[in-house]
């Protein structure tokens, strides 16, 4: 029996690789519904699909439906109609409309209902929108609605015919005919952007727009339609930030997208009131907090496997820790994050590259913290308990964690504390967040970075807590400790700090004969000697950074009126 064999090797383009995974996903769905697919394999370097030539037309019909399903995942009802429970039907071809004609005008009763549901200023009229993770415009979607069958036919014809082809695809090197080549438009692939001051500008690093073969075209289009799997957030600048994993093998990519498809928000969820991100429980929409959140969801899952909306800050009791497969942790060397904004055209801005390694998975593991040994994690128990008027402070703390840079964490946490003193409503960490981060810093500097012994870490934690509680409002002392640039300068700042604490507190303690309170200013001779003896030119930065982080956390708790730890 003659067969059609489709072989997709690992491409160098991460976007096209996502499209290849989406193709495999489609054929997997087809194999569940019929026995037409005779072979379906996904291994680290290749995807293999085969079916009988005699079944080609049936395969086409299934692919048409799978493709249509993906297309229908792009248009979204306006938030207002969704909350009101007003459905939008499909047209005669089975497509969700990309635009309402005419636009839907809201009645005064509907506006009042929306206000009761939490929409402060409902619009007078509403129209369909698109998922922010779709990189094209409404026009691109409408054009695809007209051409998708031809795109599928051309893709399958490439594997079904043995005729000699005269051209070579500049992207993949496959042979093709000139009549079967397609424009490399940025609506199909984020790396095909043509905007000034954005690198790379164009796939070939120039302004020329080349053409690609039917295989590359179809894979790129599939990637653009995998909107439910693309993590994103819309920042304060109204730019969409899209997270694209650079993965070394198909198996890892499958694990990532299978997980994200389950754990990301379903934008059609009835109670979801915002389309600004599909990353679950993302209170602080910044680059590095979002990255940590993604790794969190690659490690956790809901035990009941629902995609229900939970916008509370507390850790969800239905969460279960489900580690990413150990051998695959090292297969994600970095993430690319393009930024874009939809106007008359899709305007791309600068792309970020975030280097990662296998240790980033450890950064989101569950940890015990506090007097009651509760279980928490860096995303839900710290970053969801953290507020700042300048979101860059929060993002820099997250960047320090991702990069394992205690100096960045120390500096930005201290800056946040100074902002907290000026405006404690807009800049704060809850007592739960402080308690968890104490345990987290011990874990980060000790177990992950292997910089400081457990005993020394505990000594620094005690000393930092004493300094933070007793010098919470003495910014001169805290600033001098923070700015100490040398080992000798740091020792001198420590001496001055201890003297200041004793000068302010000892006479008061003697008058009250309060021995318990005396413990709050004295960590003990042994602990202090261990710290000073351990301090040298090699570990000065690590000890200073760790101590000042604990100090800032102690100061936060002091001014929060919480001193149990």
């Amino acid at each position: 029996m003659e067969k059609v064999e489709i072989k997709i090797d690992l491409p160098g383009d991460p976007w096209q690789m996502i499209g290849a995974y989406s193709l495999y996903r489609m054929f997997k769905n087809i194999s569940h519904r019929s026995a037409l697919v005779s072979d379906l394999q996904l291994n680290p370097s290749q995807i293999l699909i085969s079916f009988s030539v005699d079944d080609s037309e049936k395969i086409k019909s299934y692919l048409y439906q799978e493709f249509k399903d993906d297309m229908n995942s792009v248009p979204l009802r306006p938030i207002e109609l969704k909350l009101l429970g007003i459905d939008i039907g499909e047209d005669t071809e089975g497509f969700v409309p990309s635009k309402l004609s005419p636009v839907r005008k809201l009645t005064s009763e509907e506006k009042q209902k929306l206000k009761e549901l939490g929409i402060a200023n409902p619009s007078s009229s509403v129209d369909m929108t698109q998922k922010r993770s779709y990189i094209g415009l409404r026009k691109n979607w409408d054009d695809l609605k007209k051409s998708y069958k031809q795109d599928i036919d051309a893709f399958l014809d490439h594997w079904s015919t043995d005729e000699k082809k005269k051209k070579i695809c500049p992207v993949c090197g496959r042979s093709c005919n000139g009549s079967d080549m397609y424009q490399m438009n940025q609506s199909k692939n984020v790396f095909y952007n043509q905007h000034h001051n954005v690198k790379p500008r164009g796939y070939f690093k120039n302004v020329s727009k080349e053409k690609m073969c039917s295989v590359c075209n179809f894979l790129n289009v599939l990637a653009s339609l995998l909107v439910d799997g693309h993590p994103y957030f819309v920042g304060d600048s109204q730019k969409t930030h899209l997270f694209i994993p650079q993965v070394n093998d198909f198996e890892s990519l499958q694990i990532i997208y299978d997980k994200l498809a389950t754990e990301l928000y379903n934008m059609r969820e009835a109670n979801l009131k915002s389309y600004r991100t599909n990353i679950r429980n993302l209170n602080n929409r910044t680059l590095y907090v979002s990255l940590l959140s993604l790794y969190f969801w690659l490690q956790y899952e809901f035990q009941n496997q629902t995609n229900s909306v939970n916008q509370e800050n507390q850790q969800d009791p239905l969460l279960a820790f489900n580690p990413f497969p150990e051998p695959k942790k090292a297969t994600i060397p970095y993430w690319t994050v393009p930024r874009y904004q939809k106007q008359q055209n899709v305007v791309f801005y600068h792309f970020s590259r975030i280097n990662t390694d296998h240790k980033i998975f450890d950064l989101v593991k569950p940890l015990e913290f506090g007097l009651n040994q509760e279980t928490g994690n860096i995303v839900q128990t710290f970053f969801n308990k953290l507020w700042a008027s300048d979101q860059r402070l929060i993002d820099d703390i997250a960047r320090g964690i991702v990069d394992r840079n205690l100096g960045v964490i120390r500096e930005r946490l201290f800056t946040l504390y100074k902002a907290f003193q000026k405006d404690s409503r807009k800049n704060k960490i809850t007592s739960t967040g402080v308690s968890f981060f104490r345990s987290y810093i011990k874990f980060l500097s000790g177990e992950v970075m292997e910089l400081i012994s457990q005993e020394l870490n505990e000594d620094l934690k005690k000393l930092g807590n004493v300094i933070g509680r007793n010098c919470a409002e003495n910014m001169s002392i805290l600033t001098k400790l923070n700015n100490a640039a040398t080992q000798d300068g740091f020792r001198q700042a420590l001496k001055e700090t201890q003297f200041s604490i004793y000068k302010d507190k000892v006479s008061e303690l003697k008058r009250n004969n309060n021995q318990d309170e005396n413990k709050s200013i004295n960590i003990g001779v042994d602990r202090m000697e261990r710290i000073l003896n351990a301090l040298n030119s090699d570990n000065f930065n690590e000890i200073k950074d760790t101590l000042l982080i604990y100090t800032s956390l102690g100061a936060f708790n002091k001014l929060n009126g919480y001193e149990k730890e």
Side-chain angles (χ1 to χ4, degrees):
M1 183 185 296
E2 191 176 356
K3 291 184 177 295
V4 176
E5 292 189 347
I6 299 173
K7 295 181 181 180
I8 309 293
D9 294 319
L10 198 66
D13 182 342
W15 191 257
Q16 197 164 311
M17 186 175 175
I18 293 168
Y21 155 76
S22 186
L23 177 72
Y24 170 82
R25 176 185 57 88
M26 282 185 169
F27 273 93
K28 190 174 182 180
N29 291 341
I30 294 171
S31 69
H32 290 159
R33 294 158 58 189
S34 74
L36 297 175
V37 182
S38 57
D39 192 17
L40 180 61
Q41 298 179 39
L42 181 146
N43 58 54
S45 60
Q46 192 178 65
I47 290 174
L48 301 172
I49 304 166
S50 68
F51 53 87
S52 171
V53 171
D54 296 338
D55 293 328
S56 295
E57 291 304 314
K58 294 178 182 178
I59 289 290
K60 277 186 184 180
S61 297
Y62 275 113
L63 280 178
Y64 291 163
Q65 186 57 53
E66 288 288 330
F67 196 92
K68 188 184 296 185
D69 291 344
D70 278 6
M71 285 194 66
N72 279 340
S73 66
V74 175
L76 282 173
R77 282 181 294 171
I79 291 284
E80 293 84 353
L81 296 190
K82 186 177 71 166
L83 293 177
L84 291 170
I86 298 173
D87 201 7
I88 303 295
E90 298 177 350
D91 61 20
T92 55
E93 297 177 75
F95 285 101
V96 175
S98 62
K99 183 176 177 61
L100 298 180
S101 183
V103 295
R104 175 67 155 76
K105 294 188 181 298
L106 298 178
T107 66
S108 56
E109 292 80 7
E110 288 171 338
K111 288 182 182 179
Q112 182 58 38
K113 176 70 172 176
L114 288 168
K115 289 179 180 179
E116 294 171 4
L117 292 172
I119 305 298
N121 298 301
S123 302
S124 297
S125 57
V126 294
D127 198 356
M128 294 292 286
T129 185
Q130 291 180 326
K131 287 185 178 170
R132 307 302 187 263
S133 49
Y134 179 59
I135 61 172
L137 295 169
R138 180 180 290 153
K139 177 185 181 300
N140 302 125
W141 189 90
D142 289 338
D143 289 343
L144 197 56
K145 180 180 171 182
K146 300 172 186 175
S147 67
Y148 77 99
K149 288 186 178 180
Q150 293 92 324
D151 292 345
I152 292 172
D153 292 350
F155 172 78
L156 292 177
D157 287 346
H158 174 87
W159 307 99
S160 305
T161 168
D162 294 326
E163 68 173 284
K164 191 171 182 180
K165 302 177 178 72
K166 298 178 180 179
K167 285 189 173 288
I168 298 295
C169 176
V171 177
C172 66
R174 294 184 181 93
S175 59
C176 55
N177 289 322
S179 59
D180 295 330
M181 299 192 78
Y182 297 77
Q183 287 281 345
M184 295 172 64
N185 295 328
Q186 68 177 27
S187 61
K188 300 175 181 178
N189 187 318
V190 293
F191 299 107
Y192 295 173
N193 74 85
Q194 291 289 315
H195 292 281
H196 294 278
N197 303 320
V198 177
K199 294 181 180 180
R201 186 184 180 197
Y203 194 76
F204 300 101
K205 297 181 173 57
N206 59 53
V207 296
S208 64
K209 187 183 288 186
E210 298 284 349
K211 290 187 175 183
M212 57 186 165
C213 69
S214 59
V215 175
C216 290
N217 175 69
F218 189 58
L219 296 182
N220 283 321
V221 170
L222 288 182
S224 72
L225 293 178
L226 196 66
V227 289
D228 289 333
H230 292 317
Y232 77 90
F233 74 89
V234 180
D236 293 337
S237 62
Q238 304 306 311
K239 296 183 180 74
T240 298
H241 298 62
L242 193 69
F243 286 80
I244 304 170
Q246 174 67 60
V247 186
N248 293 334
D249 73 71
F250 280 124
E251 290 179 347
S252 295
L253 190 74
Q254 180 187 20
I255 294 169
I256 291 171
Y257 274 87
D258 284 355
K259 283 280 291 180
L260 292 179
T262 303
E263 306 303 338
L264 294 176
Y265 275 140
N266 176 359
M267 293 289 103
R268 289 182 170 78
E269 178 69 41
N271 298 323
L272 192 65
K273 298 179 182 178
S274 172
Y275 294 149
R276 296 179 68 83
T277 182
N278 62 355
I279 302 173
R280 187 185 295 274
N281 293 352
L282 183 64
N283 287 13
N284 292 296
R285 296 192 310 273
T286 71
L287 185 64
Y288 283 90
V289 175
S290 298
L291 183 74
L292 285 171
S293 296
L294 288 181
Y295 277 86
F296 173 80
W297 290 115
L298 289 175
Q299 295 269 82
Y300 284 81
E301 63 182 18
F302 281 107
Q303 290 177 314
N304 62 353
Q305 290 300 306
T306 65
N307 205 17
S308 61
V309 178
N310 173 17
Q311 306 224 21
E312 298 296 322
N313 287 339
Q314 301 301 324
Q315 181 163 319
D316 196 302
L318 296 176
L319 278 179
F321 185 59
N322 183 20
F324 202 80
E326 196 66 38
K328 298 297 183 182
K329 288 183 177 180
T331 60
I332 316 173
Y334 64 90
W335 294 70
T336 300
V337 184
R339 295 165 176 82
Y340 56 89
Q341 200 168 19
K342 294 186 180 183
Q343 302 166 2
Q344 276 191 319
N345 296 305
V346 179
V347 180
F348 280 89
Y349 298 90
H350 64 285
F351 288 44
S352 290
R353 170 173 164 160
I354 307 178
N355 294 323
T356 55
D357 59 26
H358 67 283
K359 283 193 173 183
I360 195 169
F361 286 96
D362 293 335
L363 301 179
V364 296
K365 67 188 294 186
L367 294 176
E368 290 185 344
F369 72 98
L371 296 174
N372 298 324
Q373 291 298 283
E374 300 173 72
T375 300
N377 58 75
I378 189 62
V379 173
Q380 293 192 323
T381 323
F382 179 66
F383 283 110
N384 280 2
K385 312 289 186 183
L386 178 62
W387 291 265
S389 54
D390 184 352
Q391 289 253 299
R392 290 174 298 182
L393 291 178
I394 297 175
D395 200 48
D396 283 346
I397 293 172
R399 175 169 60 87
I401 290 171
V402 171
D403 293 342
R404 274 88 80 191
N405 188 325
L406 293 178
V408 171
I409 300 172
R410 181 257 308 162
E411 185 62 47
R412 303 314 274 167
L413 191 64
F414 184 57
T415 304
L416 180 63
Y417 176 68
K418 290 188 287 186
F420 167 74
Q421 285 196 315
K422 294 178 181 177
D423 189 341
S424 60
R425 292 181 302 106
K426 294 182 179 179
N427 306 276
K428 60 182 177 180
I429 310 175
T430 67
S431 58
T432 300
V434 169
S435 179
F436 173 81
F437 205 53
R438 279 200 182 109
S439 297
Y440 189 82
I441 287 299
K442 183 177 181 180
F443 159 75
L444 181 66
S445 60
E447 292 185 38
V448 178
M449 300 174 67
E450 299 179 348
L451 294 174
I452 298 174
S453 69
Q454 185 171 345
E455 183 181 51
L456 180 58
N457 211 317
E458 192 64 29
D459 294 339
L460 293 170
K461 177 181 172 183
K462 293 286 187 183
L463 178 58
N465 199 33
V466 165
I467 296 172
R469 286 187 303 175
N470 291 284
C471 300
E473 298 181 83
N474 191 337
M475 291 308 298
S476 175
I477 287 290
L478 295 181
T479 301
K480 192 162 189 176
L481 275 172
N482 186 67
N483 293 345
T486 65
Q487 176 189 337
D488 290 339
F490 185 62
R491 287 179 183 272
Q492 182 61 34
L494 274 178
K495 289 179 181 178
E496 293 180 20
T497 300
Q498 288 181 297
F499 178 75
S500 176
I501 291 173
Y502 274 89
K503 183 182 70 173
D504 293 341
K505 298 291 183 181
V506 167
S507 58
E508 177 185 342
L509 296 177
K510 284 182 177 178
R511 283 197 307 272
N512 299 331
N513 194 28
N514 190 336
Q515 295 301 316
D516 290 335
E517 186 66 22
N518 186 53
K519 296 176 183 178
S520 71
I521 66 171
N522 191 350
I523 67 168
V525 175
D526 291 343
R527 288 187 186 277
M528 200 66 208
E529 282 187 355
R530 278 198 298 268
I531 293 171
L532 295 176
N533 290 337
L535 182 63
N536 56 52
S537 58
D538 293 331
N539 64 13
F540 155 64
N541 285 323
E542 289 80 6
I543 288 180
K544 171 193 165 182
D545 293 338
T546 305
L547 176 63
L548 265 294
I549 290 170
Y550 286 133
T551 298
S552 292
L553 294 174
F556 266 112
N557 260 2
K558 172 67 176 180
L559 295 194
N560 275 330
Y562 186 87
E563 300 185 61
K564 290 185 180 180
E565 287 189 77

